[in-house]
């Protein structure tokens, strides 16, 4: 397997992360200076699952580097409908593109594809598994607002199926960060993530109530409690309200708390929070472009 | 040879898997893909008394020596087992099982959403942990009832 595939945040060292974030900051400062960095580069967008932010930010990123995209389009109009395997589809498209971005509903899809393709592969989400490029933009946002060390980070919501949570948790083990996981018991971290955090010696605490820990947090990363995971709508309604935040909730927070969300949100963060200094989730989404530009720049540069 | 081992017949050439945890003998046969349809002579002792284990299972297979893959999976579900290769009624080799670092193509992943269950051209691969195994693709950790996840060949 190539070493420069990005499959999971676990493969990223602190130095790897800082190299991407530093380059993203350079890009952010003067995006036009990077406009001809990768003329003629073609990025293959392979989204087997719906996506708005991730797909558009990759598309914007390669275009701002001077490159183009090839896009498989919706699954319904692709060869997948004819029964072609993922491995075959990706082996064909690697002949068209200089790098590939894959989103797929099955866990481990990117890991498997990495064994078949020889152009750089970026995992843009594999089921409930990983989402490492989201993590890089999350870390960029955290660094811009709170630094990356001596942090108390709260991660709240669906921790069991939330791939952004899994990747962020892994990446934060590279930094001096105490991680607080806040969720209903039924949506706590999966066994595999707990195992990795334990093995890495991460500082981790689990909570069922946000108010137990909110006053000490520097960052609160909120994720959507996924309604479709609950067999009983009433059970969802009881839980969902407890894991949302509004201005009243934030009365107990530090003044400089950074509130983040990978989006889309439903009702986890009340709209009244949007106009406050706490809200960083739209900035976080915008950071996807410079961070993915930095990552693509690095990968395409190394591939030349 | 003690009395309880005589409860099943001696074999001339083949493998005796001894000191299997009580009740696991049929899973051992499943790993070996032995269901009697090939005509090989198979003897199975279940829950026979054992000095070392209180009760144990024992499997004797005529005309068959185990592959390393088979031994690797056996080590996961029957770590205390010993494998005796029999030639001309004598124990020619005696092997204690060692847990491998990974097993390939012999366990199925219990996560239905794992890419290895999606009909792709890929073998399952599991890292062996101190107290279970972990899918290298979806990272699901399996600690209990590994025998239920053996892909019978």
């Amino acid at each position: 397997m190539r070493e420069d595939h990005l499959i999971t945040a676990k493969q990223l060292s602190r130095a790897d992360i800082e190299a991407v974030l530093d380059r993203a900051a350079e890009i952010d400062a003067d995006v036009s200076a990077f406009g001809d960095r990768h003329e003629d580069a073609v990025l293959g967008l392979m989204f087997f699952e719906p996506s708005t932010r991730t797909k558009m930010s990759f598309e914007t990123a390669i275009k701002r580097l001077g490159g183009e995209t090839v896009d498989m389009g919706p699954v319904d109009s692709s060869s997948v409908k004819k029964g072609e395997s993922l491995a075959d589809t990706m082996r064909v498209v690697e002949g068209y593109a200089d790098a590939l971005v894959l989103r797929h509903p099955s866990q481990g899809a990117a890991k498997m594809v990495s064994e078949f393709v020889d152009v750089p592969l970026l995992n843009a989400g594999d089921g409930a598994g990983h989402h490492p490029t989201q993590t890089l933009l999350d870390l960029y946002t955290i660094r811009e607002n709170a630094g990356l060390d001596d942090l108390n980070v709260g991660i709240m919501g669906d921790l069991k199926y939330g791939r952004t949570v899994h990747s962020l948790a892994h990446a934060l083990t590279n930094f001096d960060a105490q991680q607080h996981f806040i969720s209903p018991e039924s949506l706590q971290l999966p066994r595999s993530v707990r195992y990795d955090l334990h093995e890495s010696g991460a500082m981790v605490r689990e909570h069922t109530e946000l108010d137990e820990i909110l006053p000490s947090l520097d960052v609160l990363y909120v994720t959507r409690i996924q309604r479709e995971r609950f067999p009983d709508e009433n059970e969802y309604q009881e839980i969902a309200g407890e894991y949302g935040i509004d201005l009243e909730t934030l009365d107990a927070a530090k003044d400089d708390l950074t509130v983040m969300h990978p989006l889309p949100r439903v009702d986890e963060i009340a709209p009244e929070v949007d106009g406050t200094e706490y809200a960083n989730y739209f900035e976080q989404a915008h950071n996807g472009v410079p961070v993915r530009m930095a990552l693509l720049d690095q990968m395409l540069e190394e591939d030349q | 040879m003690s009395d309880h081992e005589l409860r099943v017949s001696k074999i001339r050439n083949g493998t005796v898997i001894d000191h299997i945890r009580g009740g696991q003998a049929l899973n051992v046969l499943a790993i070996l893909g032995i269901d009697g349809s090939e005509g090989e002579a198979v003897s199975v002792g279940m829950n026979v008394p054992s000095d070392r284990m209180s009760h144990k299972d024992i499997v004797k297979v005529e005309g068959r020596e185990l592959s390393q893959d088979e031994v690797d999976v056996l080590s996961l579900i029957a770590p205390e087992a010993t494998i005796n290769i029999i030639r001309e009624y004598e124990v020619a080799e005696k092997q204690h099982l060692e847990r491998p670092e990974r097993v390939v193509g012999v366990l199925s992943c219990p996560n239905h959403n794992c890419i290895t269950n999606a009909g792709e051209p890929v073998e399952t691969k599991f890292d062996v942990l101190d107290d279970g195994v972990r899918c290298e693709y979806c990272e699901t950790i399996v600690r209990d009832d590994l025998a239920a996840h053996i892909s019978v060949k």
Side-chain angles (χ1 to χ4, degrees):
Chain A
M1 181 176 121
R2 294 172 61 109
E3 289 184 0
D4 58 350
H5 292 315
L6 179 53
I7 307 305
T8 158
K10 281 191 283 185
Q11 71 192 75
L12 298 172
S13 67
R14 180 175 183 135
D16 294 333
I17 292 166
E18 288 182 336
V20 175
L21 303 196
D22 288 347
R23 193 169 301 195
E26 281 179 51
I27 291 169
D28 229 356
D30 184 8
V31 71
S32 62
F34 289 78
D36 58 357
R37 289 277 292 173
H38 296 285
E39 285 180 347
D40 303 325
V42 175
L43 182 65
L45 299 177
M46 310 298 289
F47 281 71
F48 291 79
E49 205 180 54
S51 167
T52 305
R53 280 156 300 280
T54 304
K55 187 174 176 182
M56 288 184 73
S57 69
F58 266 116
E59 197 167 358
T60 307
I62 192 67
K63 287 180 175 172
R64 288 196 172 161
L65 290 168
E68 295 290 339
T69 60
V70 284
D71 186 341
M72 66 175 270
V75 170
D76 282 351
S77 57
S78 75
S79 290
V80 176
K81 289 301 277 185
K82 300 175 190 166
E84 185 177 54
S85 70
L86 173 64
D88 278 3
T89 303
M90 298 300 284
R91 276 184 287 191
V92 169
V93 181
E94 78 163 323
Y96 308 153
D98 301 295
L100 295 169
V101 180
L102 173 67
R103 170 166 293 186
H104 197 276
S106 294
Q107 277 170 266
K111 157 77 175 155
M112 183 203 74
V113 170
S114 74
E115 296 171 0
F116 287 91
V117 301
D118 197 38
V119 296
L121 174 73
L122 293 133
N123 181 9
D126 60 336
H130 301 279
H131 197 352
T133 68
Q134 174 72 40
T135 287
L136 287 167
L137 72 91
D138 292 342
L139 293 175
Y140 185 79
T141 309
I142 292 172
R143 190 171 80 165
E144 292 284 293
N145 286 280
L148 280 172
D149 282 309
D150 193 22
L151 284 179
N152 271 297
V153 180
I155 304 178
M156 182 171 82
D158 180 356
L159 310 181
K160 185 174 184 179
Y161 299 103
R163 57 192 169 203
T164 64
V165 169
H166 306 161
S167 290
L168 181 59
H170 287 127
L172 284 172
T173 63
N174 287 296
F175 302 94
D176 176 20
Q178 173 102 39
Q179 299 190 51
H180 298 272
F181 295 99
I182 307 131
S183 73
E185 286 183 7
S186 60
L187 293 176
Q188 287 179 339
L189 287 174
R191 186 186 268 179
S192 63
V193 178
R194 287 163 184 265
Y195 178 86
D196 287 327
L197 293 178
H198 181 261
E199 289 288 296
S200 70
M203 295 176 285
V204 170
R205 298 282 182 277
E206 292 187 273
H207 311 266
T208 54
E209 307 289 338
L210 175 63
D211 57 15
E212 291 171 9
I213 192 66
L214 179 63
S216 70
L217 296 181
D218 303 297
V219 175
L220 176 59
Y221 191 96
V222 184
T223 68
R224 184 169 69 92
I225 299 264
Q226 299 175 78
R227 178 177 289 190
E228 61 273 22
R229 306 289 185 198
F230 289 81
D232 180 343
E233 175 69 14
N234 290 331
E235 192 184 334
Y236 163 77
Q237 291 296 349
E238 278 177 25
I239 284 175
E242 290 184 30
Y243 294 90
I245 61 169
D246 54 21
L247 287 181
E248 193 180 335
T249 317
L250 293 172
D251 275 346
K254 287 183 183 175
D255 289 343
D256 59 353
L257 172 72
T258 297
V259 175
M260 298 171 64
H261 192 302
L263 304 177
R265 70 170 156 176
V266 181
D267 52 9
E268 312 80 65
I269 302 177
E272 64 196 23
V273 178
D274 297 356
T276 69
E277 292 289 314
Y278 299 118
N280 282 282
Y281 25 93
F282 293 112
E283 172 196 335
Q284 180 187 355
H286 297 162
N287 287 338
V289 174
V291 168
R292 289 181 171 120
M293 282 177 75
L295 192 57
L296 288 169
D297 183 40
Q298 195 180 65
M299 294 179 102
L300 292 167
E301 188 176 65
E302 286 170 5
D303 206 40
Q304 282 169 354
Chain B
M1 185 172 281
S2 59
D3 284 349
H4 57 260
E5 285 180 276
L6 291 173
R7 290 170 195 234
V8 290
S9 61
K10 293 184 78 171
I11 59 174
R12 180 170 183 169
N13 292 299
T15 304
V16 174
I17 306 166
D18 199 0
H19 300 107
I20 303 166
R21 201 180 318 140
Q24 291 289 335
L26 296 180
N27 288 323
V28 167
L29 288 174
I31 293 169
L32 302 179
I34 293 173
D35 58 9
S37 61
E38 301 294 319
E40 66 272 58
V42 182
S43 305
V44 179
M46 296 185 76
N47 295 315
V48 298
S50 162
D51 292 339
R52 197 202 303 176
M53 303 173 71
S54 174
H55 288 85
K56 67 175 183 179
D57 287 5
I58 183 167
V59 170
K60 301 188 179 191
V61 187
E62 186 75 51
R64 176 88 139 74
E65 294 186 14
L66 302 189
S67 71
Q68 191 57 49
D69 276 353
E70 291 167 334
V71 172
D72 284 349
V73 179
L74 270 182
S75 73
L76 300 180
I77 67 160
E80 308 91 346
T82 50
I83 296 174
N84 301 300
I85 305 298
I86 310 295
R87 296 182 188 128
E88 290 301 322
Y89 298 107
E90 297 295 329
V91 177
E93 293 173 33
K94 193 176 190 78
Q95 184 181 358
H96 290 278
L97 295 180
E98 286 181 16
R99 288 166 73 82
E101 289 185 6
R102 69 200 297 236
V103 290
V104 176
V106 286
L107 295 171
S108 59
C109 183
N111 175 7
H112 297 300
N113 200 37
C114 176
I115 194 68
T116 60
N117 290 317
E120 295 290 333
V122 64
E123 282 192 303
T124 61
K125 301 182 182 77
F126 284 82
D127 294 326
V128 177
L129 311 177
D130 288 342
D131 58 349
V133 296
R134 183 183 209 187
C135 175
E136 288 187 13
Y137 292 94
C138 73
E139 303 185 346
T140 294
I141 292 175
V142 187
R143 292 203 171 106
D144 307 316
D145 200 13
L146 284 184
H149 306 300
I150 293 165
S151 305
V152 180
K153 294 170 188 167

